[in-house]
Structures are given as structure tokens and as C-alpha cells.
Amino acid sequence: NDLETEYRNPEIGIALESEISYPDTQDIDLKYGLSDDQYDEYENVFPQEEYDVHQLLGWPLIIQNNMTTQCDLIEMGHSVGSGWSHIPEKDIDSAKQFSLEKWQLLLQLDEIEGENDFYLSFGDAGKLYFYITKEDLKNCNFENVWLIYQCY
């Protein structure tokens, strides 16, 4: 390994536990179109944790916006790094309509604190999200996983 010791990340153990996750209001709104009152009521019933959450599968804790639509647009060949204004509206509409059924959160990583003052963060309290199509997950095909980074 050519990487100097001071630049290597240490091994960190994990403990897994099963929990139910709920869709973020942005995902619910994408699927059903919420009124302002419904949006507020949903947030009161299903408050979202914001920090220190790592998870496999389930619903993401969204920082900025829905990511399944973004995954679909990227898969269509669109660049989304500088916004969506250059993307045809029909492609955006198509992605919004079907992306929640097509894409699955594979892994969400939050800030990591370890022993000996080890700390790994992603921007301004950001998270890394890895998405996979449900079909690829079913077939254990991890070649087309998308990484999305969001921060505050």
C-alpha cells in the first residue's frame, strides 16, 4: 500500500439493528402531491432524524431534495451537477413519475467518529447516498450504483 499511514482510515466496527424507516416528505410529495397542510401533518407524525444515521436500504434522510429523480435523469444521460434547467421537461416528468418505484437506497453514510480522534465528515454535515435500481439489487448487480452527496 503506497498510502502513508497518516492518510489511511482506520477500520471501524459496526453494529446492525433493524428499524422501520419512513419516506421523507419530499418523497411522499413526489408520489402523491401534498397540500401544505398535509405536508405539515406528515412531518408532525413522522419527524425525520437529521444527524448520525447510517443505514442499509429503507428510506433516506434527505438533506436537499429527492434523489431517485436525479438517478433516473443521470441514467438517461443528463448531467445534473449544475441544475436541471437544460433538461427537457418531458424527461424530468418521466423521471418524477417512475423513479420512486425504480430506485432503492442501498446505503446512507453520515459523519463517522472513531477512536483516537478519528473523524470523517462529508462537507457541511453532509451524507453520502448510494442508490441502485430495484432490479439490479434483486439480481445482486452492483455495477450501476450511483453515489449522491448532499450537505447543509
Side-chain angles (χ1 to χ4, degrees):
N1 192 336
D2 295 338
L3 198 59
E4 295 179 31
T5 305
E6 67 183 286
Y7 298 111
R8 295 181 193 169
N9 292 330
E11 291 182 13
I12 297 175
I14 61 170
L16 300 176
E17 58 185 68
S18 180
E19 285 190 20
I20 295 173
S21 65
Y22 298 96
D24 186 274
T25 49
Q26 293 187 41
D27 287 334
I28 289 292
D29 189 41
L30 182 65
K31 185 159 180 79
Y32 300 108
L34 299 177
S35 69
D36 289 343
D37 289 340
Q38 290 169 322
Y39 189 94
D40 292 341
E41 186 176 338
Y42 186 86
E43 279 193 328
N44 288 334
V45 174
F46 300 107
Q48 298 289 315
E49 295 180 44
E50 294 187 18
Y51 299 103
D52 301 329
V53 177
H54 313 283
Q55 67 181 48
L56 290 169
L57 306 173
W59 291 95
L61 295 176
I62 296 174
I63 294 174
Q64 295 175 353
N65 50 39
N66 166 277
M67 292 166 275
T68 60
T69 302
Q70 185 175 346
C71 288
D72 233 29
L73 292 172
I74 293 168
E75 188 180 55
M76 289 180 201
H78 296 294
S79 172
V80 296
S82 59
W84 296 6
S85 60
H86 63 284
I87 300 173
E89 199 63 39
K90 67 176 181 50
D91 289 354
I92 294 172
D93 291 343
S94 174
K96 285 181 176 180
Q97 185 176 6
F98 301 111
S99 65
L100 280 175
E101 284 76 28
K102 182 176 180 182
W103 293 92
Q104 172 67 53
L105 175 69
L106 178 63
L107 175 65
Q108 173 182 298
L109 292 177
D110 206 329
E111 297 175 336
I112 300 169
E113 292 186 50
E115 296 177 8
N116 301 321
D117 295 326
F118 174 76
Y119 181 70
L120 179 63
S121 66
F122 308 109
D124 184 12
K127 292 178 176 45
L128 298 181
Y129 306 88
F130 296 84
Y131 274 86
I132 189 169
T133 65
K134 292 176 182 178
E135 186 68 24
D136 280 348
L137 182 59
K138 181 177 127 184
N139 294 321
C140 296
N141 177 13
F142 299 97
E143 293 179 14
N144 301 310
V145 173
W146 288 108
L147 164 66
I148 297 176
Y149 160 70
Q150 292 187 351
C151 70
Y152 292 93

